[in-house]
Amino acid sequence: MTATAPAPAPETRADERLMKTSPLRRLLGRPELGSVVGAIAVFLFFAVVADSFLQASSLSTVLYAASTIGIMAVPVALLMIGGEFDLSAGVMVTSSALVSSMFSYQMTANVWVGVLVSLVVTLAIGAFNGFMLTRTKLPSFIITLGTFLMLTGMNLGFTKFISGTVSTKSISDMEGFDSAKDVFASVLTVGGVDFKITILWWFALVAVASWILLRTRVGNWIFAVGGAKDAARAVGVPVDRTKIGLYMGVAFAAWISGQHLLFSFDVVQSGEGVGKELIYIIAAVIGGCLITGGYGSAVGSAVGAFIFGMTDKGIVFAEWNPDWFKFFLGAMLLLATLLNAWVRKRAEATK
């Protein structure tokens, strides 16, 4: 009787998901890498050319300018990762402030009542954008451009009809104004330097958005609907609900920004906000979001907003002609887009 040699064990391959990734590969795979490099370059540049740029009070001013953009850039970045745009985001901020102010003034109600009514109205606008997008299947550019035009007209029309002018009436002497100002427009003093509370709102939104994107099932849905909507729907991703939720996220940030606008200046000009939507999109793109969707990060949008704030105030600190601001902003947009594309190609090449 002859012994049969045991068959050789089949060769096993390690699961690619369990393979260790080098730190360099992980770094190159981060969508915000290009914007971080750009932010360091802009910071060093203005640190050299503007003597007052590194002062604590100057950095506080830069952070405030960045926060007013960053609060909106965060949800706009998530929306872009989901493959959509919102051209009504800028005027929605003004609409939010106008609703709070006019409702409180006309109803002689506690200011907080107007703030809560504004929240409901603003979220409804976001839901409307998402609903129209998912039901009509029209491009988000068309849907939100229509909303932009309607809100622009309503802001002006309702304000002139109710107030008789293009601005709202003062509500600074109404009940609840001081406490609302503490929440949305107060100043915190740290080490003798004043910081606006919008900076905390900005950081909080970045943290929450990053947690949603990286640690939750909803984050997977956002990347999926932005990368391949039909494939995502085929595997059970609630595409319509995800997109509506993203638009409502933009609306929520617009409500925060609108309340800050109102309680910082007491009155609101009905024509404000036009053009701001492009700034939010630019900050998200500089931060690594792709126009085509499916790629980006909340941290990247924050870095993009920080670059915007440094450039905006750095030109002033350097005592340059501010007319050049948009030139620098456009140049940064092009350079950041090219750098992001290069980083992504390098990341794909190292896989």
Side-chain angles (χ1 to χ4, degrees):
M1 184 164 139
T2 58
T4 303
E11 183 181 355
T12 58
R13 263 181 93 181
D15 191 333
E16 291 182 356
R17 295 170 297 178
L18 303 178
M19 293 176 64
K20 291 185 178 180
T21 305
S22 68
L24 177 60
R25 183 179 297 179
R26 289 198 300 268
L27 180 63
L28 288 175
R30 296 301 306 165
E32 63 271 9
L33 175 61
S35 61
V36 171
V37 173
I40 294 173
V42 172
F43 181 87
L44 294 176
F45 176 76
F46 282 113
V48 172
V49 302
D51 295 336
S52 61
F53 185 75
L54 293 180
Q55 294 179 3
S57 58
S58 299
L59 292 177
S60 170
T61 303
V62 167
L63 284 174
Y64 173 60
S67 69
T68 57
I69 300 300
I71 287 174
M72 290 300 298
V74 170
V76 166
L78 265 63
L79 183 63
M80 290 180 66
I81 295 171
E84 306 297 345
F85 292 95
D86 190 348
L87 297 181
S88 66
V91 293
M92 200 188 307
V93 171
T94 306
S95 299
S96 171
L98 290 172
V99 170
S100 292
S101 178
M102 289 190 291
F103 187 90
S104 299
Y105 186 85
Q106 295 299 320
M107 300 300 175
T108 60
N110 187 296
V111 168
W112 279 105
V113 177
V115 170
L116 294 177
V117 170
S118 174
L119 174 61
V120 173
V121 172
T122 310
L123 289 176
I125 295 171
F128 171 80
N129 281 337
F131 178 82
M132 290 296 293
L133 176 79
T134 56
R135 289 296 178 268
T136 65
K137 309 303 180 184
L138 290 173
S140 57
F141 177 87
I142 299 298
I143 297 293
T144 58
L145 178 60
T147 308
F148 163 81
L149 294 173
M150 288 190 292
L151 290 179
T152 302
M154 290 174 63
N155 288 349
L156 180 60
F158 273 116
T159 305
K160 292 184 72 173
F161 176 75
I162 294 174
S163 303
T165 64
V166 297
S167 63
T168 60
K169 303 294 185 180
S170 173
I171 59 171
S172 60
D173 58 346
M174 297 186 66
E175 184 181 358
F177 182 88
D178 291 335
S179 59
K181 185 172 183 177
D182 288 341
V183 173
F184 296 106
S186 60
V187 177
L188 307 175
T189 302
V190 180
V193 181
D194 292 337
F195 293 91
K196 294 292 184 67
I197 198 170
T198 50
I199 299 172
L200 295 182
W201 278 106
W202 178 33
F203 289 169
L205 286 175
V206 172
V208 171
S210 296
W211 175 74
I212 291 174
L213 277 179
L214 302 177
R215 301 295 182 185
T216 70
R217 182 172 55 179
V218 175
N220 293 332
W221 292 348
I222 294 172
F223 281 109
V225 300
K229 179 177 63 177
D230 294 334
R233 181 177 282 111
V235 296
V237 173
V239 174
D240 291 353
R241 281 191 290 136
T242 300
K243 289 184 180 287
I244 292 173
L246 288 172
Y247 276 104
M248 292 183 71
V250 174
F252 178 74
W255 172 73
I256 295 173
S257 296
Q259 304 319 297
H260 172 69
L261 177 67
L262 171 62
F263 294 107
S264 292
F265 303 103
D266 183 20
V267 296
V268 182
Q269 298 292 326
S270 58
E272 292 186 22
V274 176
K276 289 291 184 67
E277 62 283 340
L278 296 180
I279 299 298
Y280 307 147
I281 293 173
I282 288 172
V285 172
I286 290 176
C289 291
L290 293 182
I291 299 294
T292 52
Y295 189 79
S297 72
V299 173
S301 72
V303 178
F306 185 54
I307 291 176
F308 178 94
M310 287 192 292
T311 305
D312 185 17
K313 300 306 177 183
I315 289 175
V316 176
F317 295 144
E319 299 181 352
W320 294 348
N321 187 339
D323 294 340
W324 286 94
F325 168 68
K326 288 189 177 180
F327 169 82
F328 283 102
L329 193 61
M332 284 191 302
L333 174 61
L334 291 176
L335 290 174
T337 303
L338 292 172
L339 182 58
N340 290 335
W342 178 83
V343 168
R344 196 177 185 209
K345 286 181 180 178
R346 294 290 298 175
E348 292 174 349
T350 56
K351 288 182 179 179

